[in-house]
């Protein structure tokens, strides 16, 4: 039978293709040698060196702040958009709005970055704000495209949610705002947690959009890594990448676990 | 039916028989359209304080939609709804004197049983200790005290249903709307809960409007039943009235089982009429008002109303004919028969098994069936 060995072998090759580069990166982050391609024994010196690299630490700190801020803003905006789209029935322009909310998911990042850059530049000319490109503009840019992801997750959760829960709360004497905070929000909270985590990792990973809208003194971690790699891969980049992989893996697993637990509970 | 068992002034317990009584809920010419589809069409209803009113009808006939309009989740396209004399048109769901028990129960999944039940009281501005007191009483009433701290997903279907009931009742609404409250329960639990519902209803004196598609349930629970189909109410009456005096073929056929025979009125003598039928020959019966000679009518006879005998009845007995037993099913307390008449028409009949050592009528016997004039109901619609 073909099935007996073909499927396991194919999936092994597939996973190997995906994960061997990452695995080798992790292994070489513990390489003692200066040369990236030569194994010189086990060591954690590159991790230690990272801690002394002010540029990288600064960029990491900026990335973290940008990630937390934009994930939070994106979660608020995305949830509100999803709520309007699922709960306000049919209103004029609903279809258009649905399309527009999800467009950033399929739009090339270069386009998003470029259009936001043009927006910020013309806003600066017309309104005098944002007066220069930096962390604020990166946060704004990340919030907008991450909000699309959060909106999609929240929307599907809101659609699955039994409408009669909200009606029951109304029936028991709660006004519409109370119902949103007492019932809707807690019920969809797990989806929002995983939406937040997804937004956070997206923001942490983003290089293209950040390169367009960031300014001097506000380089994010991916921007710093990219500029370092252009000068040749050094082993401390491996160590840094390993740490980022760790953070992203944890965030994605937590998001998945939260969603899974919720789907099991109904 | 429960209220009829109690000794009191009849008109007090059956206010709908009193033309001067003021209804508690008035539904006046209410229609609801979704786009071009009419879900509820020109329904008018009066419901009195303390009633258990059952809306009975097949799937999709508009029962839930009517209930949702009473609760305030849907607004009527036409007509108006008055509760306790007040027009409900601009009153949102959270300000209405109604509480609803949902078809899906709609328990808040993130709150414990206790918090679910307390939610309505807290929204009303009750203090926490006071609310918790009432919640404890309510949980005792529905026998859920040991489960107060559990979440809904840790309960069985029957327990969830009781939480939903407790949550809707704890605010002591003037009107409780129940959408298929017993739908998810097995037969035994269902019967127990029916009596429980009646007990609670009598203890608290709340007006119940119950939606169901189970006619037995409607018969047991209701003071009155409204039979619905395709968004219309076809007949409103006490269970006995609906069963014994259906106003149309539809209602007769919908409630219980019935044999229907087509015929034409051959002669009229005061209220007494003779109807010629192809199946049963001439049938003597009491005609409703407004029937004329030559009119086509339908005769309705319930299966349990036929008397089956081996011997032919005495000469001159009206409404009798011969039949062959085609099928017989022994059901313990009753036996059901399928009988073939002279012209090949099959009718169903049931006999209650009152004696233990009866010699029952069996397959392929030729017997006489008799249906005295009062058991025959003449339908003109
Ligand atoms: N929001 C809506 N939009 C369009 N049509 C609707 C809507 N709600 C109900 N309907 C239609 O109205 C009709 C009556 O629905 P309703 O829910 O009142 O039926 P029901 O009598 O409660 O049936 P069931 O016994 O199956 O619960 C159905 O044909 C349904 O498809
Ligand atoms: Mg329904």
């Amino acid at each position: 039978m073909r099935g007996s060995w073909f499927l396991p072998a194919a999936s092994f090759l597939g996973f190997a293709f995906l994960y061997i580069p990452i695995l080798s990166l992790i292994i070489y982050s513990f390489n003692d040698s200066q040369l990236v391609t030569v194994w010189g024994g086990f060591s954690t010196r590159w991790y230690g060196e990272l801690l002394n690299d002010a540029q990288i630490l600064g960029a990491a700190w900026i990335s973290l702040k940008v990630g937390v801020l934009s994930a939070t803003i994106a979660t608020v905006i995305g949830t509100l958009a999803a709520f309007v789209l699922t709960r306000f029935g049919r209103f004029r322009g609903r279809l258009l709005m649905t399309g527009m909310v999800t467009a950033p998911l399929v739009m090339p990042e270069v386009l998003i970055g470029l259009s936001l850059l043009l927006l910020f530049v013309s806003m600066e000319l017309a309104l005098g704000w944002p007066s220069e490109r930096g962390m604020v503009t990166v946060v704004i840019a990340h919030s907008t495209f991450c909000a699309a992801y959060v909106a999609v997750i929240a929307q599907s959760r809101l659609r699955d949610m039994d409408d009669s829960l909200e009606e029951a709360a109304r029936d028991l004497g709660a006004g519409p705002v109370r119902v949103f905070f007492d019932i809707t929000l807690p019920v969809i909270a797990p989806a929002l947690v995983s939406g937040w985590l997804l937004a956070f990792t997206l923001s942490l990973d983003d290089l293209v959009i950040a390169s367009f809208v960031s300014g001097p003194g506000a380089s994010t971690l991916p921007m710093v890594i990219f500029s370092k790699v252009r000068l040749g891969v050094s082993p401390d980049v491996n160590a840094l990448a390993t740490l980022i992989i760790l953070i992203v893996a944890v965030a994605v697993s937590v998001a998945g676990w939260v969603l899974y637990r919720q789907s099991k509970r109904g | 039916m429960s209220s009829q068992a109690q000794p009191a002034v009849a008109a007090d317990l059956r206010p709908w028989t009193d033309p001067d009584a003021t209804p508690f809920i008035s539904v006046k010419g209410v229609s609801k359209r979704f786009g071009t589809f009419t879900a509820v069409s020109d329904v008018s209803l009066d419901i009195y304080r303390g009633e258990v009113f059952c809306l009975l009808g097949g799937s999709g006939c508009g029962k839930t939609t009517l209930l949702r309009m009473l609760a305030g989740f849907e607004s009527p396209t036409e007509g108006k709804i008055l509760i306790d004399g007040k027009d409900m048109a601009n009153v949102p769901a959270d300000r209405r004197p109604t509480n609803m028990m949902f078809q899906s129960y709609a328990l808040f999944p993130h709150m414990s049983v206790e918090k679910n039940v307390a939610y309505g009281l807290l929204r009303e501005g009750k203090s926490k200790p006071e609310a918790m007191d009432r919640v404890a009483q309510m949980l005792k009433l529905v026998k859920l005290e040991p489960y107060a701290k559990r979440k809904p997903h840790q309960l069985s279907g029957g327990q969830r249903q009781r939480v939903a009931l407790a949550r809707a009742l704890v605010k002591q609404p003037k009107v409780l709307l129940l959408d298929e409250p017993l739908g998810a329960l097995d037969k035994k639990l269902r019967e127990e809960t029916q009596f429980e519902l009646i007990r609670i209803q009598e203890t608290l004196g709340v007006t119940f409007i119950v939606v169901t598609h189970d006619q037995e349930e409607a018969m047991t629970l209701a003071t009155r039943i409204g039979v619905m189909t395709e968004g219309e109410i076809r007949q409103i009456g006490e269970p006995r009235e609906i069963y014994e005096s259906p106003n149309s073929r539809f209602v007769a056929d919908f409630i219980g089982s019935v044999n229907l025979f087509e015929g034409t009125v051959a002669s009229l003598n005061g209220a007494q009429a003779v109807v010629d039928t192809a199946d049963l020959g001439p049938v003597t019966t009491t005609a409703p008002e407004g029937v004329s000679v030559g009119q086509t009518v339908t005769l309705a006879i319930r299966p349990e109303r036929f008397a089956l005998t081996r011997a032919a009845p005495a000469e001159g007995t009206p409404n009798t004919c011969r039949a062959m037993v085609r099928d017989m099913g022994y059901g313990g307390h009753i036996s059901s028969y399928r009988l073939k008449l002279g012209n090949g028409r099959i009718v169903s009949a049931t006999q209650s098994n009152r004696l233990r050592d009866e010699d029952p009528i069996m397959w392929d016997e030729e017997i006489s069936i008799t249906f005295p004039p009062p058991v025959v109901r003449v339908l003109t619609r």
Side-chain angles (χ1 to χ4, degrees):
Chain A
M1 271 293 288
R2 191 190 71 168
S4 57
W5 57 270
F6 181 77
L7 272 183
S11 51
F12 177 78
L13 279 178
F15 278 111
F17 182 69
L18 280 176
Y19 286 102
I20 281 179
I22 294 178
L23 202 64
S24 68
L25 185 142
I26 293 173
I27 291 171
Y28 275 98
S29 74
F30 295 104
N31 186 2
D32 196 36
S33 159
Q34 272 285 358
L35 298 164
V36 185
T37 46
V38 179
W39 183 253
F42 180 86
S43 144
T44 52
R45 65 182 264 217
W46 300 118
Y47 289 89
E49 220 148 277
L50 268 186
L51 291 179
N52 297 324
D53 187 331
Q55 192 196 6
I56 284 191
L57 283 184
W61 180 231
I62 286 177
S63 266
L64 203 67
K65 282 193 287 190
V66 168
V68 169
L69 278 175
S70 47
T72 308
I73 296 172
T75 304
V76 173
I77 296 176
T79 308
L80 289 178
F83 189 75
V84 169
L85 288 176
T86 49
R87 289 291 187 270
F88 280 50
R90 283 161 209 243
F91 53 87
R92 282 181 64 143
R94 178 164 177 271
L95 198 65
L96 184 71
M97 196 173 153
T98 311
M100 277 166 55
V101 163
T102 44
L105 301 187
V106 291
M107 193 115 68
E109 284 180 316
V110 178
L111 281 188
I112 301 180
L114 186 62
S115 56
L116 281 168
L117 175 62
L118 293 178
L119 174 76
F120 291 140
V121 170
S122 48
M123 270 174 74
E124 192 183 343
L125 289 179
L127 308 171
W129 186 89
S131 57
E132 56 167 18
R133 268 154 279 129
M135 215 179 90
V136 175
T137 48
V138 180
V139 168
I140 294 174
H142 282 184
S143 304
T144 51
F145 94 93
C146 291
Y149 288 84
V150 175
V152 168
I153 294 177
Q155 230 179 321
S156 89
R157 183 68 194 104
L158 279 169
R159 275 210 201 92
D160 287 350
M161 181 180 167
D162 184 1
D163 286 358
S164 56
L165 289 183
E166 286 157 345
E167 285 174 351
R170 283 304 294 273
D171 190 57
L172 291 168
V177 178
R178 264 227 94 105
V179 173
F180 181 77
F181 285 104
D182 281 357
I183 310 298
T184 317
L185 219 46
V187 169
I188 66 169
L192 299 187
V193 169
S194 53
W196 189 94
L197 286 168
L198 182 66
F200 178 74
T201 53
L202 284 171
S203 163
L204 202 62
D205 286 351
D206 171 67
L207 169 67
V208 179
I209 296 175
S211 314
F212 273 101
V213 299
S214 186
S219 295
T220 62
L221 200 52
M223 289 165 72
V224 169
I225 295 173
F226 191 67
S227 63
K228 273 172 97 77
V229 173
R230 265 191 304 196
L231 305 174
V233 182
S234 66
D236 59 341
V237 171
N238 281 349
L240 184 60
T242 304
L243 289 179
I244 293 176
I245 288 169
L246 189 72
I247 292 172
V248 170
V250 166
V252 170
S253 332
V254 170
W257 179 74
V258 168
L259 274 185
Y260 168 76
R261 227 188 49 153
Q262 200 200 12
S263 73
K264 250 180 51 168
R265 260 184 38 183
Chain B
M1 300 254 276
S2 57
S3 52
Q4 286 159 22
Q6 288 170 6
V9 194
D12 230 29
L13 291 172
R14 300 164 67 204
W16 50 92
T17 55
D18 174 5
D20 295 332
T22 11
F24 187 54
I25 301 167
S26 267
V27 177
K28 295 189 171 161
V30 163
S31 297
K32 176 73 192 180
R33 278 184 285 277
F34 295 108
T36 55
F37 177 78
T38 307
V40 170
S41 141
D42 194 20
V43 164
S44 294
L45 263 183
D46 282 332
I47 296 172
Y48 298 85
R49 203 182 286 270
E51 264 204 87
V52 178
F53 191 95
C54 276
L55 282 168
L56 180 61
S59 189
C61 69
K63 306 179 297 286
T64 298
T65 308
L66 184 54
L67 214 59
R68 289 172 58 82
M69 287 193 280
L70 285 164
F73 303 133
E74 219 79 75
S75 47
T77 318
E78 269 162 32
K80 60 179 180 177
I81 294 172
L82 304 173
I83 299 180
D84 209 2
K86 275 206 284 293
D87 191 345
M88 289 289 125
N90 294 315
V91 184
D94 45 308
R95 305 254 174 75
R96 293 198 181 191
T98 58
N99 278 141
M100 179 147 165
M101 183 178 157
F102 288 76
Q103 205 163 358
S104 59
Y105 304 150
L107 300 180
F108 307 135
H110 56 294
M111 296 186 192
S112 64
V113 166
E114 205 172 48
K115 294 228 169 84
N116 261 282
V117 179
Y119 189 78
L121 292 173
L122 295 176
R123 292 295 76 73
E124 194 170 84
K126 290 259 181 319
S127 72
K128 199 138 191 205
E130 195 187 346
M132 282 308 166
D133 246 27
R134 286 270 294 281
V135 169
Q137 283 172 22
M138 203 64 223
L139 289 181
K140 197 165 159 192
L141 190 71
V142 297
K143 307 202 177 88
L144 277 174
E145 296 152 292
Y147 304 100
K149 302 280 184 228
R150 293 222 193 152
K151 292 275 179 70
H153 68 101
Q154 297 166 317
L155 299 176
S156 77
Q159 290 162 344
R160 274 181 224 175
Q161 180 254 328
R162 296 202 315 264
V163 179
L165 183 64
R167 190 179 68 179
L169 271 173
V170 76
K171 293 187 74 176
Q172 307 205 337
K174 292 178 181 163
V175 184
L176 186 66
L177 308 166
L178 303 110
D179 197 352
E180 312 233 351
L182 312 179
L185 305 185
D186 65 51
K187 193 164 185 299
K188 193 154 160 23
L189 197 55
R190 208 179 166 106
E191 278 166 9
E192 267 171 40
T193 319
Q194 279 172 7
F195 288 108
E196 200 67 6
L197 268 182
I198 293 179
R199 182 177 67 87
I200 291 171
Q201 194 264 343
E202 282 172 355
T203 320
L204 302 179
V206 179
T207 305
F208 274 30
I209 302 180
V210 185
V211 159
T212 176
H213 57 234
D214 179 342
Q215 43 158 308
E216 242 175 86
E217 188 169 297
M219 291 288 203
T220 335
L221 285 176
T223 52
R224 284 189 305 153
I225 296 174
V227 182
M228 280 188 83
T229 184
E230 290 169 5
E232 289 173 27
I233 293 210
R234 288 299 180 82
Q235 186 172 7
I236 297 172
E238 293 171 37
R240 172 177 289 273
E241 198 177 328
I242 299 265
Y243 188 76
E244 302 292 356
S245 316
N247 65 1
S248 59
R249 294 179 61 128
F250 172 80
V251 174
D253 207 22
F254 189 76
I255 307 285
S257 30
V258 72
N259 296 291
L260 297 172
F261 305 95
E262 299 292 334
T264 42
V265 180
S267 68
L268 271 172
N269 179 9
Q272 201 184 54
V274 175
V275 178
D276 267 335
T277 64
D279 301 318
L280 302 169
V283 176
T284 310
T285 177
T286 322
E289 264 174 52
V291 171
S292 52
V293 174
Q295 189 178 343
T296 315
V297 293
T298 303
L299 303 182
I301 307 175
R302 300 275 180 204
E304 70 274 17
R305 300 285 152 74
F306 287 113
L308 311 186
T309 50
R310 288 206 174 83
E315 195 63 36
T317 310
N319 297 359
T320 180
C321 66
R322 301 292 284 172
M324 284 286 284
V325 179
R326 291 298 302 274
D327 248 324
M328 185 257 190
Y330 175 70
H333 61 306
I334 58 159
S335 295
S336 22
Y337 293 90
R338 291 171 63 75
L339 308 170
K340 190 174 163 195
L341 300 178
N343 67 347
R345 162 82 195 259
I346 303 285
V347 299
S348 51
T350 58
Q351 297 291 287
S352 61
N353 298 322
R354 244 174 285 177
L355 301 174
R356 247 190 87 212
D357 43 7
E358 244 171 352
D359 175 19
I361 291 170
M362 295 302 257
W363 289 274
D364 292 335
E365 282 191 62
E366 192 182 341
I367 54 160
S368 281
I369 61 173
T370 313
F371 37 99
V375 310
V376 182
R377 168 89 188 159
V378 180
L379 303 173
T380 53
R381 280 195 286 156

